[in-house]
Amino acid sequence: HRIRGDINVLLLGDPGVAKSQVLKYAEKTAPRAVYSTGKGASAVGLTASVHKDPVTREWTLEGGALVLADRGLCLIDEFDKMNEQDRTSIHEAMEQQTISISKAGIVTSLQARCAVIAAANPIGGRYDSSLTLAENVELTDPILQRFDILCVLQDRVDPVEDERLAKFVTGSHMRSTPTNELSRPKEEPANPAETPDTPPDPTRAADGTLPQELLRKYILYARTHIHPKLSTTSFDQNKLTSLYTSLRRESATSGGVPIAVRHIESILRMSEAHARLHLREYVREDDVDAAIDMMLQSFLGAQKFSVRKSLRKKFEKFLVRKEDGGHLLLHLLQDLFRNESLYQNIRRRRKKGAKKDTEKGDDDAIVLEVPLDEFEARAKESKVYNVLDFCQSREFVDAGYELDQRKGVIRRN
């Protein structure tokens, strides 16, 4: 029995929240992608069609968008505008990732191992928060259950965000002007270490983001060579079981998208994808926590606004916040420095007993240091794997610590 490994995503939101732009960016970034629209695609256009060759008078089989996107992405815009019969035809492709054909004496099965990213508009054009997601879109439960992630995008009024978006749009149009290059003064290098003689790092853009071509190669390498494995010790199975039973119980009482066994597989798929994104060979507990967080955000976003806050409190125990990890790492670091301070005090006393003429200046100028490797090992025992982000946080600096990556130590005066 083969289990689907690709993740299906549904983007549901108000007009003007850049759903189509996300699909176009995914089309240019993915190594293989096929773009289609709901009105311009039919059942045979998405699956497969049978034609009679005018020369040989034989029946030929031609694959549709899902077959052409094998081992890639199939992007469907205006998903809600499709006919119900056309949407029903892709049920098999979205779950079993195969398309069975039995037409004109041709009986075969085609591979459709692709991830589906669909964009849809709510009923009436605007998303109503007083209704559930199933009531906001004309999609049946069988098709909604086949999507691993349901993203609700709402166009909320935010003066700060609106100003930033307006500056971005106007700046984008100004940069695309042909005469802009002639009137633009020569810019200074963003990095002071970079001079005109030394070219900048090609793997980083000016704002620190990855270029699209490098991201494309990174995704291709991860999909081709990285295959994370799940083990019984990599995560807490009881936590996943308790989450599934709670989701089933709340979905039956509060409405929204019904939870099925497919959602357990969705969590495992997203866990493997999170590990693959970090080029890891095994799935860790933080990968499962990230997948659970994504599943819960998808489930809570599909609920009514009136019950969303109470449901968030009920599922608070399954969420792992970054603040919790920061407090835990700060406690571990304080414990390490406490042991280091105790060790240095015992060492100084022994020196004073052996040499009474020890210089007093050395006692006052002592600087405590803890190796970064030792801190990472203690953090891994508590199942926290990323400590560099914590070492660059404001909480780390306010506590009086300093990271020296060149020597690989953490200091405190």
Side-chain angles (χ1 to χ4, degrees):
H1 177 62
R2 182 180 176 275
I3 300 176
R4 171 167 62 93
D6 295 285
I7 299 174
N8 300 326
V9 182
L10 174 64
L11 304 176
L12 177 66
D14 300 333
V17 292
K19 299 187 297 296
S20 300
Q21 291 294 329
V22 171
L23 296 185
K24 284 295 184 181
Y25 183 83
E27 181 188 13
K28 294 179 181 179
T29 306
R32 176 185 291 183
V34 177
Y35 185 87
S36 178
T37 58
K39 273 296 183 183
S42 60
V44 294
L46 290 174
T47 56
S49 60
V50 176
H51 297 280
K52 197 170 188 178
D53 191 281
V55 179
T56 61
R57 310 296 296 174
E58 294 181 354
W59 292 98
T60 59
L61 186 63
E62 294 184 4
L66 292 169
V67 179
L68 296 177
D70 188 34
R71 296 188 179 277
L73 286 179
C74 182
L75 310 168
I76 306 175
D77 201 0
E78 305 292 342
F79 191 67
D80 57 308
K81 306 298 189 300
M82 292 178 60
N83 297 328
E84 187 60 35
Q85 294 180 351
D86 298 338
R87 279 199 296 262
T88 307
S89 64
I90 65 175
H91 282 191
E92 180 189 2
M94 291 184 65
E95 188 60 37
Q96 282 79 31
Q97 293 194 317
T98 57
I99 295 175
S100 302
I101 299 296
S102 179
K103 296 179 181 179
I106 300 177
V107 180
T108 185
S109 180
L110 302 177
Q111 297 286 348
R113 297 162 294 183
C114 63
V116 177
I117 303 180
N121 291 321
I123 299 175
R126 305 288 294 185
Y127 189 87
D128 189 359
S129 299
S130 62
L131 304 175
T132 62
L133 183 138
E135 297 170 347
N136 269 286
V137 65
E138 293 180 344
L139 297 176
T140 58
D141 289 344
I143 196 71
L144 287 176
Q145 287 186 3
R146 283 168 167 78
F147 285 103
D148 301 293
I149 304 175
L150 302 174
C151 297
V152 177
L153 307 175
Q154 290 185 264
D155 187 12
R156 295 188 176 94
V157 178
D158 186 357
V160 177
E161 191 68 21
D162 293 342
E163 182 180 357
R164 187 186 67 85
L165 185 60
K167 288 182 179 179
F168 174 79
V169 173
T170 53
S172 178
H173 281 272
M174 292 175 64
R175 285 192 300 269
S176 63
T177 306
T179 58
N180 190 35
E181 295 292 337
L182 300 177
S183 61
R184 180 187 300 173
K186 293 184 178 180
E187 298 180 354
E188 297 293 332
N191 189 355
E194 294 177 357
T195 60
D197 298 331
T198 61
D201 187 4
T203 62
R204 291 282 179 181
D207 56 351
T209 58
L210 288 176
Q212 189 173 9
E213 187 61 30
L214 179 61
L215 180 62
R216 183 187 180 97
K217 294 178 181 179
Y218 186 91
I219 293 175
L220 181 60
Y221 176 83
R223 287 179 63 92
T224 306
H225 297 92
I226 306 300
H227 305 286
K229 299 179 180 61
L230 278 167
S231 61
T232 55
T233 59
S234 60
F235 64 95
D236 187 5
Q237 297 185 19
N238 295 328
K239 181 179 180 180
L240 196 60
T241 305
S242 177
L243 173 67
Y244 174 67
T245 54
S246 301
L247 285 174
R248 288 273 292 179
R249 182 176 61 253
E250 296 299 335
S251 65
T253 57
S254 62
V257 180
I259 300 298
V261 184
R262 290 191 179 103
H263 292 85
I264 299 181
E265 298 177 353
S266 300
I267 295 176
L268 299 179
R269 273 192 291 269
M270 289 187 285
S271 304
E272 294 175 354
H274 193 269
R276 185 180 291 112
L277 184 65
H278 292 80
L279 305 181
R280 288 195 287 263
E281 295 294 336
Y282 291 92
V283 177
R284 300 190 313 205
E285 187 165 355
D286 56 339
D287 299 325
V288 181
D289 290 337
I292 290 175
D293 183 35
M294 199 172 302
M295 174 61 68
L296 286 177
Q297 296 298 338
S298 174
F299 174 75
L300 295 174
Q303 302 299 321
K304 298 179 182 179
F305 182 77
S306 57
V307 299
R308 193 179 303 167
K309 191 173 182 179
S310 61
L311 287 176
R312 190 178 297 274
K313 289 183 179 179
K314 292 181 181 179
F315 292 104
E316 192 74 23
K317 59 181 179 181
F318 297 104
L319 298 175
V320 178
R321 297 190 300 266
K322 291 184 179 180
E323 292 82 3
D324 298 338
H327 295 325
L328 176 61
L329 290 176
L330 188 62
H331 174 72
L332 293 176
L333 193 58
Q334 289 173 351
D335 189 35
L336 288 174
F337 272 98
R338 193 180 300 112
N339 296 336
E340 180 67 18
S341 177
L342 182 62
Y343 168 74
Q344 293 292 345
N345 290 332
I346 296 174
R347 192 162 170 261
R348 279 188 297 172
R349 291 171 185 171
R350 289 182 178 178
K351 280 188 177 181
K352 284 182 179 180
K355 271 188 180 181
K356 293 185 179 180
D357 56 345
T358 304
E359 296 184 3
K360 295 182 180 180
D362 296 340
D363 298 340
D364 299 333
I366 186 171
V367 177
L368 297 179
E369 293 183 350
V370 169
L372 182 61
D373 296 340
E374 184 179 354
F375 180 46
E376 290 179 343
R378 287 289 301 274
K380 286 182 180 178
E381 292 177 0
S382 301
K383 297 182 180 180
V384 179
Y385 301 94
N386 190 4
V387 300
L388 291 179
D389 291 344
F390 168 73
C391 294
Q392 297 172 357
S393 64
R394 183 68 178 271
E395 187 179 10
F396 177 82
V397 177
D398 292 343
Y401 299 108
E402 179 187 358
L403 174 64
D404 188 349
Q405 290 188 348
R406 186 171 60 87
K407 293 184 178 180
V409 294
I410 300 175
R411 296 193 187 94
R412 187 182 70 179
N413 294 327

